[in-house]
Amino acid sequence: MLSKTTTTTTDREEWSTDRVRSTFVEFFEEREHIMQPSSACAPLNDPTLLFTNAGMNQFKPIFLGQVDPNSPLATLKRACNSQKCIRAGGKHNDLEDVGRDTYHHTFFEMLGTWSFGDYFKKEAIDYAWTLLTEVYRLDPDRLYATYFQGDDRVEEDVEAREFWLQYLPPERVIGCSAKDNFWEMGDTGPCGPCSEIHYDRIGGRDAAALVNADDPDVIEIWNIVFIQYNRDEKGLNPLPQKHIDTGMGLERLVSILQNKSSNYDIDVFTPIFDKLSEFSNVGPYEGKLGEEDASLKDTAYRAIADHIRTLSFAIADGAVPNNEGRGYVLRRILRRATRYGQQILKAEPGFFQKLVPVVVETFGDAYPELVEKQATITEIIAEEEVAFSSMLDRGIKFFADLEEELRASGQKQLSGDKAFYLYDTLGFPIDLTELMAEEAGLTVDSTGFANEMEAQKKRSREARAAAKSGGGVPRLELIAEQTAALAENGVLPTDDSYKYKWDVKLPATVMSIYGPDGFLKQGESAETGDYVGVVLDKSSFYAEAGGQEADTGELQILDDSNEVVGSIDVRDVQTYGGYLLHIGVVTEGSLQSGLHVNCRVDYDRRRQVAPNHSMTHILNAALREVLGDAVDQRGSLCNDEKLRFDFSHKKAMSLEELRRTEEICQEIVQKSMPVTARTMPLAEAQAIDGVRAVFGEVYPDPVRVVQVGDDTSIEFCGGTHIANTAEAEAFVVVEETAVAKGIRRITAVTRDAAREAISEGNKFESLVKDLEGLSVESEGLDKQAGALRKEVDEAFMSATVKAGLRNRLEGVQKKATEAKKAAIAKRVNTVLKVVTADVESALSENVRALVLQVDIGADSKASQQVINAVKKIAPEMAFMGLSEEEPGSGAKLLAFSVVPESLIEGGLKADEWVRKTLEVCGGRGGGKAENAQGQASTCSDIETVVTAAKDFAESKTNAEVS
């Protein structure tokens, strides 16, 4: 069927996508909602999410009760925005449906509103009705509302039903099951009933039976979630604070307001289709679906238009196509689009990246990051497109051949091993192979493919599983229910201001103890061997944050006389909603709430961590100086062994760039610059000239600002630092490598580890210098250089020193090899003269077969020169040459032979001659009857081999062999 296109120009102009979006935000801002900018659609700082798939993702800390009390989110009561969302991969995955219908997208915008412990059901429903019917002027008679009808676990949501009956007749207020009307964040966590608003595009009828029936003309446009419960292993419990979370698909709403039955017919897709038609060789977009789109042309248009939006927004937010996680999902999407374009639309390779400017022009005003990153987006897509295009033709041909074979044999299933070959060798994601198979009326043996994948990934999967298990240690984490329980019991957030002090033994009181089964009750004890999380009134421990690993140490358990009677080995510290959870094992004694402890941080370990953290700031500044201001921090790790710093940069750093970066850091260490920290209001801190913040990070208010020197580095940071750069003592970059496309990683060390790396570098510098001092004609010089190169590769030293030593060793190897070649060439010339004389002598004596020892090492090219000389002088003579790699050493032996046709007919064959000759020393050979070659890895008695060669030739020629 054709998608309906009854919109007039007036409809489209009156309700453009930009106007629909801004109207939504303005409506809720007038009702005291804060416009909270869209978070990145690729949440680089949330490893639990592939992509932002709903507007609520950035508010998870609020729902979970884990928000930092100093964060701006902590005071947020009402919020609204239009969130960039991607649903591809993971639990929420619309990728398979994109292009086949009129409403699925991998990228879409979600209009959302939130109330955090403020208003609840009545106001949320009132706001929705007012906006839809009075502002957007939707026909009230086409609206239907659903509510949760209840089940054996949760009672019916009568409240929501009663509120809807103020606006709608009973027949249009529909009770539904938990499948459609009970929202859950996951297996555990905040959840609650929801109410959906559906719209009938046709109108003038009773469409109640079509609600939630997958009818394309009766569609859900808004979902209002009433977050009022928390689910844990034991079931549902009411939340102390109730929240509202609503979401409405922008594209779907615009299609209604522009009177379009297809999302792909709205104003933001038209420019993409128009541009794409310039590259299509099968005609423009016509909006056909299903059987009418037998050629899949319009399916391809829709998929490509969707996919270029997804790639553009994701890359602008810092994600890049690669082979892992979200990067692989993006690569799959890009390859699907490329295949659709080149195979279905017959577009030339390179068409996809040419659509980027249209996306930027269409969405750039609302999302300026697209404008800022346009060059990067285009470059990355172009590079990926070129890489896959080179394999695409091979893959399509391979698939076509398979299809032909299957049809000829009456089969309809592509085997798992063939699908795996397409995946592993030709770069075809399995979902792309499945899509192509479906288009061809075939299926794919998914089980067989999975088995192939399992075989390839077995070791890495087992390693990941082992790491996940954590040796059987339970995971202790506080979520909304636990933080709310602490607050209700009068437990205040932990005072962690002491974390910036050094060498203190801080007395504290145990406020609560949390174990695998929940909080310990009053009077209950944690005993020796128990794994627990301890909440204190105050703490000197640093909780993991900002890339810095948590402090470790000990909690000393005290009795009433402040004598130490027990101990807890603190292995980790995490913060949830302002409460520090000191996680570890009771190693001695027992622990109850109300007892006093001494916090004893392992300050020796922290003294190794702090310089690594401070040097990430200095490294950040050095990279901007060397590579330019386009460098953005993309992550870091600081522990007691090393520092790791991820940053945006399109290519590997040159040796000179890396050397200069390392030198700048070393100079700052040597200059003994002060490292200072001050806390100030966030707005004031953001106004500081040159201040740096991590991309995508949410900072508290007030915020801590760490400064190195006068203006060397100024960054927002809550970590622990040294007081002076001299405390780092030394700094060495040990590695610079790629993390993903457009993201580089530097690993560096300070203090003792840096001095060790410097010492190691100096040691190898001396060894290489000694090697360079040897004559290029020194025996075995090339092998010495190769062996030393392996040692350098494995050594712990500066990456710049290592690269320099590698280059020098390659130079030594090159010179030694050239000298060796020259010596061999000289030796071969001498050998050829000797061989020529011997052959001429044998020829004068009518010798039919000749065996000679020659001195050409194990050089197979030189052996060919010898054979050519023999054939030129005596074309009817059989000849075998034997050459030791190092005469008299018992090392490798080379044998080569040539036999004329006249002797082959008599029974002497070159390949058999070589094999029989080398058998006496365990060697092997092969070739043809007229010429052959072989080797033995060792030969201790060359004379025996010569005798064997002569004896075999004599047995076949019945003539004496010289």
Side-chain angles (χ1 to χ4, degrees):
M1 64 177 181
L2 286 170
S3 60
K4 301 180 183 66
T5 53
T6 57
T7 302
T8 65
T9 303
T10 304
D11 291 328
R12 185 171 287 187
E13 289 175 350
E14 182 176 2
W15 285 115
S16 69
T17 298
D18 283 343
R19 186 183 172 208
V20 174
R21 185 192 300 114
S22 62
T23 297
F24 179 89
V25 171
E26 289 165 5
F27 176 87
F28 283 98
E29 283 182 323
E30 290 169 0
R31 287 154 182 81
E32 300 179 341
H33 289 65
I34 302 298
M35 164 57 182
Q36 190 78 7
S38 170
S39 60
C41 57
L44 304 181
N45 294 320
D46 187 347
T48 66
L49 278 176
L50 278 176
F51 299 102
T52 298
N53 52 39
M56 59 75 60
N57 290 156
Q58 67 171 306
F59 303 115
K60 271 196 337 186
I62 300 178
F63 296 132
L64 292 170
Q66 295 175 350
V67 67
D68 187 322
N70 292 320
S71 166
L73 293 180
T75 57
L76 197 60
K77 292 297 183 183
R78 302 182 178 195
C80 65
N81 73 9
S82 183
Q83 171 65 49
K84 301 173 291 186
C85 296
I86 293 177
R87 287 188 178 174
K91 179 180 177 182
H92 301 285
N93 183 10
D94 290 338
L95 180 58
E96 307 306 322
D97 296 312
V98 169
R100 302 180 182 187
D101 58 31
T102 62
Y103 51 88
H104 276 104
H105 307 281
T106 55
F107 173 87
F108 62 96
E109 293 185 62
M110 181 73 81
L111 301 171
T113 63
W114 296 270
S115 167
F116 305 110
D118 189 12
Y119 66 81
F120 202 45
K121 295 180 184 179
K122 181 182 187 307
E123 293 87 346
I125 291 171
D126 289 346
Y127 290 154
W129 183 262
T130 302
L131 177 62
L132 292 177
T133 61
E134 297 180 20
V135 179
Y136 290 134
R137 304 193 301 280
L138 295 186
D139 182 356
D141 292 336
R142 297 190 184 198
L143 294 175
Y144 295 76
T146 66
Y147 68 95
F148 178 55
Q149 65 186 10
D151 57 24
D152 55 359
R153 300 177 306 163
V154 188
E155 61 186 18
E156 179 184 15
D157 191 358
V158 177
E159 260 189 316
R161 181 177 185 276
E162 293 302 317
F163 289 135
W164 276 119
L165 288 175
Q166 296 177 23
Y167 298 110
L168 293 168
E171 61 271 18
R172 286 198 277 134
V173 181
I174 304 163
C176 293
S177 68
K179 174 179 175 291
D180 292 311
N181 280 77
F182 196 89
W183 178 89
E184 297 181 85
M185 183 181 288
D187 294 334
T188 59
C191 56
C194 62
S195 183
E196 299 171 342
I197 303 172
H198 294 252
Y199 181 80
D200 179 15
R201 291 183 185 275
I202 295 175
R205 60 177 180 167
D206 180 4
L210 301 178
V211 170
N212 281 331
D214 289 328
D215 188 290
D217 291 316
V218 181
I219 58 173
E220 174 197 341
I221 58 173
W222 206 342
N223 189 15
I224 305 171
V225 180
F226 311 119
I227 301 177
Q228 59 190 89
Y229 301 108
N230 182 71
R231 181 185 300 283
D232 59 21
E233 293 78 5
K234 300 172 185 175
L236 290 176
N237 296 292
L239 281 171
Q241 282 193 318
K242 296 176 173 57
H243 309 296
I244 292 292
D245 168 23
T246 84
M248 176 161 55
L250 175 62
E251 292 83 358
R252 194 170 286 190
L253 175 61
V254 172
S255 73
I256 293 171
L257 294 174
Q258 292 185 1
N259 196 24
K260 294 285 188 180
S261 62
S262 167
N263 290 1
Y264 288 93
D265 289 338
I266 67 175
D267 59 336
V268 292
F269 282 100
T270 302
I272 302 176
F273 288 155
D274 290 344
K275 187 65 177 178
L276 183 54
S277 68
E278 296 178 16
F279 310 119
S280 168
N281 285 300
V282 294
Y285 179 65
E286 297 178 281
K288 293 180 179 179
L289 295 164
E291 293 180 358
E292 291 192 3
D293 187 31
S295 69
L296 300 177
K297 180 192 72 174
D298 293 331
T299 297
Y301 265 97
R302 286 186 289 270
I304 293 167
D306 169 86
H307 293 355
I308 192 62
R309 294 206 310 167
T310 301
L311 269 296
S312 297
F313 276 92
I315 294 171
D317 281 346
V320 287
N322 57 40
N323 282 331
E324 295 182 357
R326 67 171 64 92
Y328 186 60
V329 175
L330 293 179
R331 178 165 284 171
R332 287 166 50 204
I333 292 171
L334 189 146
R335 292 184 174 185
R336 286 170 70 100
T338 301
R339 201 280 305 193
Y340 266 128
Q342 293 187 34
Q343 186 180 20
I344 307 299
L345 300 186
K346 310 301 180 188
E348 292 295 321
F351 79 94
F352 194 53
Q353 50 104 0
K354 295 175 183 175
L355 300 176
V356 173
V358 185
V359 175
V360 174
E361 184 177 349
T362 304
F363 296 96
D365 287 344
Y367 299 103
E369 62 270 23
L370 289 169
V371 179
E372 180 187 346
K373 300 291 185 180
Q374 179 173 348
T376 299
I377 298 167
T378 303
E379 180 180 335
I380 290 175
I381 290 178
E383 187 177 325
E384 284 283 322
E385 194 175 1
V386 168
F388 184 54
S389 292
S390 64
M391 296 184 286
L392 182 59
D393 289 341
R394 287 174 58 202
I396 290 174
K397 184 179 185 305
F398 181 79
F399 186 89
D401 291 343
L402 283 178
E403 181 183 352
E404 189 176 328
E405 289 175 17
L406 289 171
R407 295 197 189 285
S409 61
Q411 299 179 57
K412 289 195 172 184
Q413 187 176 67
L414 192 71
S415 66
D417 64 317
K418 298 297 186 186
F420 185 75
Y421 175 82
L422 278 162
Y423 165 82
D424 192 47
T425 304
L426 299 177
F428 276 53
I430 183 61
D431 57 298
L432 178 54
T433 300
E434 289 172 337
L435 176 63
M436 293 170 66
E438 184 181 342
E439 292 170 358
L442 303 172
T443 61
V444 176
D445 178 9
S446 301
T447 302
F449 174 83
N451 290 339
E452 295 284 346
M453 288 289 289
E454 285 296 316
Q456 186 191 56
K457 295 183 175 181
K458 185 178 180 182
R459 280 184 296 182
S460 61
R461 188 178 68 252
E462 288 175 350
R464 285 197 302 271
K468 256 187 178 180
S469 71
V473 173
R475 176 176 171 80
L476 299 181
E477 178 185 27
L478 304 180
I479 58 174
E481 183 182 3
Q482 287 83 43
T483 56
L486 289 170
E488 287 174 359
N489 289 325
V491 179
L492 297 175
T494 310
D495 177 4
D496 67 345
S497 59
Y498 301 91
K499 66 187 176 187
Y500 297 122
K501 298 183 181 297
W502 291 79
D503 300 315
V504 296
K505 185 171 71 173
L506 181 72
T509 301
V510 176
M511 306 305 294
S512 188
I513 304 169
Y514 188 66
D517 297 323
F519 288 112
L520 271 63
K521 297 176 182 176
Q522 193 68 33
E524 292 183 337
S525 300
E527 303 298 334
T528 300
D530 287 350
Y531 191 76
V532 296
V534 182
V535 178
L536 304 174
D537 63 335
K538 55 184 175 293
S539 175
S540 53
F541 282 82
Y542 178 84
E544 180 181 345
Q548 180 178 328
E549 290 187 359
D551 279 336
T552 58
E554 176 190 20
L555 295 179
Q556 293 179 328
I557 304 170
L558 307 177
D559 63 11
D560 292 340
S561 304
N562 285 335
E563 294 295 324
V564 176
V565 293
S567 176
I568 300 167
D569 178 20
V570 178
R571 301 175 180 178
D572 189 19
V573 184
Q574 298 290 328
T575 179
Y576 303 104
Y579 296 101
L580 262 64
L581 195 65
H582 304 74
I583 302 165
V585 175
V586 181
T587 56
E588 184 183 355
S590 63
L591 185 71
Q592 290 183 340
S593 294
L595 289 182
H596 297 294
V597 296
N598 283 332
C599 297
R600 292 179 61 89
V601 173
D602 183 349
Y603 288 109
D604 287 340
R605 177 179 176 275
R606 189 195 280 184
R607 283 188 173 85
Q608 303 298 325
V609 177
N612 287 339
H613 196 157
S614 298
M615 290 307 297
T616 62
H617 291 217
I618 293 166
L619 176 58
N620 192 0
L623 286 167
R624 292 200 311 277
E625 181 176 334
V626 173
L627 302 178
D629 288 336
V631 169
D632 275 324
Q633 181 176 345
R634 288 301 171 85
S636 65
L637 170 70
C638 309
N639 59 26
D640 55 330
E641 296 178 350
K642 63 180 182 291
L643 63 97
R644 199 176 69 197
F645 188 81
D646 297 348
F647 59 99
S648 58
H649 192 55
K650 295 175 183 176
K651 57 185 179 182
M653 293 176 69
S654 69
L655 180 57
E656 184 52 42
E657 288 171 338
L658 196 59
R659 181 181 289 118
R660 182 62 190 135
T661 300
E662 186 177 57
E663 286 173 350
I664 291 171
C665 294
Q666 291 169 341
E667 289 167 3
I668 292 172
V669 170
Q670 293 164 4
K671 287 179 179 177
S672 301
M673 292 184 177
V675 180
T676 57
R678 51 190 170 138
T679 302
M680 61 179 67
L682 181 60
E684 182 182 333
Q686 289 171 328
I688 297 174
D689 185 37
V691 73
R692 300 291 293 185
V694 177
F695 181 83
E697 190 72 66
V698 177
Y699 290 95
D701 189 7
V703 68
R704 189 165 178 260
V705 180
V706 174
Q707 183 167 343
V708 179
D710 292 331
D711 58 1
T712 296
S713 168
I714 307 174
E715 292 192 28
F716 296 165
C717 183
T720 60
H721 289 271
I722 52 182
N724 191 289
T725 60
E727 293 176 40
E729 298 177 8
F731 177 87
V732 171
V733 172
V734 294
E735 185 179 47
E736 192 270 347
T737 187
V739 176
K741 196 175 296 296
I743 307 294
R744 307 297 299 179
R745 170 174 292 168
I746 282 179
T747 303
V749 290
T750 61
R751 304 190 76 183
D752 291 346
R755 284 195 293 270
E756 178 189 340
I758 292 169
S759 175
E760 193 79 347
N762 291 338
K763 181 185 81 174
F764 279 97
E765 165 73 30
S766 178
L767 292 172
V768 172
K769 187 176 180 180
D770 290 344
L771 204 62
E772 288 173 324
L774 297 177
S775 167
V776 293
E777 297 175 354
S778 299
E779 188 172 342
L781 181 60
D782 58 334
K783 291 185 178 179
Q784 291 182 62
L788 188 55
R789 164 69 189 266
K790 288 183 180 179
E791 291 184 45
V792 167
D793 287 343
E794 295 170 1
F796 179 71
M797 68 174 79
S798 165
T800 59
V801 172
K802 182 176 287 190
L805 293 177
R806 282 173 178 158
N807 291 339
R808 288 166 61 184
L809 286 170
E810 285 172 7
V812 171
Q813 284 181 297
K814 184 178 179 181
K815 288 178 181 179
T817 301
E818 289 172 352
K820 195 173 183 180
K821 286 180 179 178
I824 289 173
K826 185 177 179 181
R827 190 166 66 186
V828 169
N829 287 335
T830 302
V831 168
L832 288 175
K833 290 178 183 178
V834 173
V835 169
T836 299
D838 288 345
V839 171
E840 288 175 344
S841 175
L843 190 60
S844 67
E845 297 175 8
N846 295 318
V847 173
R848 303 190 67 190
L850 179 64
V851 177
L852 290 179
Q853 281 184 255
V854 294
D855 185 16
I856 59 170
D859 190 337
S860 58
K861 289 184 179 179
S863 71
Q864 190 59 49
Q865 289 180 263
V866 172
I867 285 176
N868 291 339
V870 172
K871 289 168 68 176
K872 185 176 181 181
I873 301 167
E876 293 302 316
M877 180 186 292
F879 174 83
M880 175 174 284
L882 296 168
S883 177
E884 295 176 277
E885 185 176 32
E886 296 177 10
S889 67
K892 186 187 292 183
L893 175 69
L894 173 67
F896 53 96
S897 66
V898 60
V899 179
E901 187 67 34
S902 60
L903 292 182
I904 293 174
E905 292 173 357
L908 180 61
K909 297 177 182 178
D911 52 348
E912 190 178 2
W913 193 11
V914 168
R915 280 198 299 272
K916 291 295 183 181
T917 298
L918 291 175
E919 276 181 6
V920 300
C921 59
R924 301 173 63 185
K928 301 177 181 178
E930 59 270 20
N931 58 69
Q933 184 173 289
Q935 291 183 351
S937 57
T938 60
C939 177
S940 58
D941 188 355
I942 184 66
E943 292 302 328
T944 301
V945 180
V946 171
T947 300
K950 289 181 178 181
D951 289 347
F952 182 81
E954 286 178 359
S955 71
K956 296 296 183 179
T957 61
N958 295 317
E960 186 178 346
V961 177
S962 177

